[in-house]
Amino acid sequence: MKQNVGKIAVEGKHIVKDFQIGSTTTKVLKDLSLQVARGEFVSIMGPSGSGKSTLLYILGGLDVPTSGQVLLNGTDISRFGDEKMSRLRRQKIGFVFQFYNLIPNLNVEENVMLPLLLDGKKMGSYKKQLHHILEMVGLSDRRKHTPRELSGGQQQRVAIARALIGNPEILFADEPTGNLDSKTGAEIMSLLQEINQSSGQTIIMVTHSPEAAECSSRIITVQDGCII
């Protein structure tokens, strides 16, 4: 069932991010503000070094701004402590990365279930949900395979399933097709588009690819630490 589109899922207010190396300060994000509505599929694009991945990590709670706020459903998460932030990421946020970040000695089922197990949940309580998600990403027949027995595209599908198993409010994707050939990348983008359209899953994605960005409903362009 689709979520209500229109309510603000995540908002960045006057985000500034500086990196200090010795006596040199590099300004990566410069007073940047944006809103993403629930149910949107947003692509963040920009040249290398523009700050787009830094912005994604700050919105997803993997990094903190030098100043400014990040509001998740109206709650300021930008100053959460490590433990509270870790719990929030496990329960409310899903992440998909360019290089999959799967555990080599765990099979597909175990990799998908890992966030719930880390949160103290029992695997047996999620069998129906696991079956549904593996069907959705096309891996029902690979559930006992380990990552080394899968193609790159299949590994990324496992990563997407893992990000979705906890029913996150927002799915963040950092260059999800960056390590894939064009055909496999197009299949992954088609899957993300289907997930967004069928369930109303909010997705925020960083990409270099104009073809990938075309699958989203809105494109935000970042250049020199500013939205243009």
Side-chain angles (χ1 to χ4, degrees):
M1 185 175 179
K2 279 204 170 190
Q3 302 173 25
N4 293 325
V5 177
K7 293 183 178 180
I8 302 304
V10 63
E11 180 176 9
K13 289 186 172 182
H14 304 291
I15 295 175
V16 172
K17 183 63 177 181
D18 299 336
F19 286 109
Q20 190 80 29
I21 302 175
S23 59
T24 302
T25 299
T26 301
K27 294 187 176 297
V28 179
L29 299 176
K30 306 168 184 175
D31 195 25
L32 187 153
S33 296
L34 76 162
Q35 294 180 336
V36 176
R38 191 177 300 171
E40 267 197 295
F41 185 171
V42 173
S43 289
I44 301 174
M45 298 192 72
S48 295
S50 61
K52 59 185 183 299
S53 289
T54 300
L55 173 60
L56 187 82
Y57 294 157
I58 288 174
L59 293 176
L62 290 178
D63 199 356
V64 295
T66 303
S67 63
Q69 294 177 296
V70 176
L71 279 68
L72 182 68
N73 284 331
T75 300
D76 185 2
I77 67 168
S78 51
R79 295 294 179 265
F80 276 16
D82 288 346
E83 185 177 339
K84 192 172 183 181
M85 194 67 243
S86 294
R87 186 166 61 250
L88 177 78
R89 285 196 300 266
R90 289 196 304 269
Q91 297 175 352
K92 304 288 186 182
I93 293 170
F95 264 99
V96 177
F97 298 98
Q98 179 176 349
F99 293 104
Y100 326 132
N101 290 3
L102 303 179
I103 308 299
N105 60 333
L106 299 183
N107 65 29
V108 167
E109 285 185 345
E110 292 163 341
N111 266 291
V112 171
M113 289 299 297
L114 190 59
L116 295 178
L117 296 175
L118 290 173
D119 205 35
K121 307 288 177 57
K122 293 184 178 178
M123 193 166 172
S125 304
Y126 289 85
K127 281 187 176 179
K128 187 175 180 181
Q129 188 172 345
L130 176 64
H131 177 73
H132 170 71
I133 287 178
L134 289 178
E135 274 201 339
M136 181 172 61
V137 301
L139 290 175
S140 292
D141 59 342
R142 295 286 189 272
R143 54 200 309 147
K144 297 301 182 182
H145 289 59
T146 58
R148 65 177 174 272
E149 299 173 297
L150 304 174
S151 68
Q154 289 170 332
Q155 290 185 61
Q156 192 62 291
R157 288 172 181 269
V158 177
I160 291 169
R162 179 184 59 192
L164 293 173
I165 190 67
N167 193 28
E169 294 178 10
I170 305 173
L171 177 66
F172 292 91
D174 187 16
E175 297 282 4
T177 64
N179 201 37
L180 304 172
D181 62 73
S182 57
K183 180 178 181 293
T184 307
E187 292 171 354
I188 292 298
M189 288 313 306
S190 179
L191 174 61
L192 289 175
Q193 193 174 41
E194 179 185 343
I195 290 167
N196 169 253
Q197 293 176 351
S198 64
S199 67
Q201 175 68 57
T202 307
I203 302 175
I204 304 176
M205 174 182 73
V206 160
T207 183
H208 277 102
S209 166
E211 292 79 14
E214 285 177 5
C215 294
S216 60
S217 53
R218 179 160 62 106
I219 298 173
I220 295 172
T221 302
V222 178
Q223 185 171 311
D224 298 326
C226 301
I227 292 175
I228 61 171

